[in-house]
Amino acid sequence: MRELISLCKGIVTKRKLILDLSKADFRKRFVGSYFGVVWMFIQPMVTIAIYAFIFGEYGMKNAPPVPGATYVIWLAPGIIPWFFFSEVLNTGTGCLQEYHYLVKKVVFEVENLPVIKLISCFMVHACFLVIMVGLYLLSGYTPKLIWLQVLYYSFAASMLGLAITYFTSAIQVFFKDMAQIVGICLQFGMWLTPIMYDEAIFTSRASWLGLVFKCNPFYYIAAGYRDSMLTGHWFFERPTMTLYFWAVTLVLLVLGLKVFKKMRPHFSDVL
């Protein structure tokens, strides 16, 4: 826990520098691009459209997961946090190599680099949250106080992504294939989480699969976004899952920080 406390103190102390670097990282993505920030939305929106056509038209047309909701309305709260989580892992894994010139500076705290990538990704995610709310409003939904709960689940997704990123970014310095492994794991993870499909398709045949789904920490986040936007359930109505998620996330964060700090003295030599 000392590593975690030290990280929190460092973030508070260097908050202005971290925020400035996060903004610069966000802008850097679109330097030299004709359409700029527009590209940030094209691929995710196309992905949603494809899944909506395939699953909504042919997979769940006659069996909507939530009564009264269209497939797109049900899909958006599940897939939008996944876009955020996967981007945090994909960009965060290579952050030490990308900012190798900062890693070699003795005065710079390299533990802040995954945090910088996380904040940069959250800026994109915030735009998608606005789009999701707009989609619900256009679909005739009335704004509700519980919609604000997505901010809590966004924080939960951030902590889970950061915990894993500390481990993967440290390993990536010494094992260049880690980025490819992360990409493959994310592909499996997306299908192992009931984001595009209703879990009842499987649990109705084998009830034990429900427990398997819930062992995946991201299940809590996807279910939480849908609770907030669709079903109207608060996070404290899932006490067991909430305790399980935060226990797993804190363990992963502490272990990730330990691995990161153990390997940190060798980063500059390898990079």
Side-chain angles (χ1 to χ4, degrees):
M1 292 298 292
R2 288 178 299 177
E3 292 84 358
L4 183 57
I5 295 173
S6 176
L7 174 66
C8 293
K9 289 181 178 178
I11 292 174
V12 172
T13 303
K14 302 290 185 180
R15 59 186 181 278
K16 187 178 185 303
L17 174 63
I18 292 173
L19 186 58
D20 289 340
L21 289 175
S22 299
K23 292 177 181 178
D25 183 88
F26 177 79
R27 292 192 296 266
K28 186 176 68 174
R29 301 184 189 194
F30 313 107
V31 172
S33 174
Y34 184 77
F35 289 104
V37 73
V38 175
W39 289 113
M40 178 177 68
F41 302 100
I42 291 179
Q43 183 178 354
M45 297 305 289
V46 169
T47 302
I48 291 175
I50 292 173
Y51 288 144
F53 175 75
I54 295 176
F55 287 91
E57 186 67 21
Y58 299 105
M60 295 185 181
K61 185 176 182 180
N62 299 318
V66 177
T70 64
Y71 180 74
V72 173
I73 286 297
W74 179 83
L75 175 66
I79 201 168
I80 285 177
W82 179 262
F83 289 150
F84 171 51
F85 178 71
S86 59
E87 187 180 18
V88 169
L89 289 187
N90 281 324
T91 60
T93 296
C95 66
L96 296 179
Q97 291 177 311
E98 181 179 352
Y99 289 98
H100 59 88
Y101 53 91
L102 292 177
V103 175
K104 295 179 181 180
K105 290 184 178 292
V106 179
V107 295
F108 186 80
E109 297 179 4
V110 292
E111 291 86 352
N112 292 331
L113 286 176
V115 179
I116 290 168
K117 279 295 183 181
L118 171 65
I119 296 175
S120 175
C121 293
F122 185 79
M123 293 177 184
V124 179
H125 183 57
C127 296
F128 271 100
L129 291 180
V130 173
I131 292 174
M132 180 175 67
V133 170
L135 178 63
Y136 272 69
L137 294 176
L138 290 174
S139 299
Y141 284 79
T142 303
K144 300 175 182 177
L145 179 63
I146 199 171
W147 285 8
L148 295 175
Q149 189 178 234
V150 297
L151 298 177
Y152 159 74
Y153 284 106
S154 294
F155 176 73
S158 300
M159 292 300 99
L160 179 61
L162 185 64
I164 300 174
T165 298
Y166 272 114
F167 176 79
T168 58
S169 61
I171 299 299
Q172 171 70 12
V173 174
F174 305 93
F175 183 62
K176 308 303 180 185
D177 294 332
M178 177 54 70
Q180 284 70 33
I181 293 174
V182 168
I184 293 173
C185 289
L186 285 173
Q187 289 182 359
F188 277 104
M190 186 174 188
W191 291 102
L192 291 174
T193 308
I195 294 174
M196 280 85 65
Y197 56 86
D198 184 6
E199 63 185 274
I201 296 174
F202 299 96
T203 56
S204 61
R205 301 175 184 177
S207 59
W208 59 269
L209 285 175
L211 181 60
V212 174
F213 280 131
K214 292 175 182 177
C215 285
N216 175 3
F218 195 82
Y219 176 93
Y220 175 73
I221 297 167
Y225 269 69
R226 285 175 175 144
D227 282 345
S228 303
M229 301 302 297
L230 277 175
T231 63
H233 294 129
W234 293 94
F235 73 93
F236 50 76
E237 295 181 53
R238 295 179 179 267
T240 303
M241 285 184 59
T242 299
L243 291 174
Y244 169 76
F245 172 83
W246 285 112
V248 171
T249 300
L250 287 175
V251 169
L252 290 175
L253 184 56
V254 171
L255 291 178
L257 281 170
K258 284 184 178 293
V259 171
F260 191 94
K261 291 201 171 186
K262 185 175 183 178
M263 295 182 172
R264 182 179 58 183
H266 309 288
F267 287 162
S268 57
D269 296 332
V270 176
L271 295 172

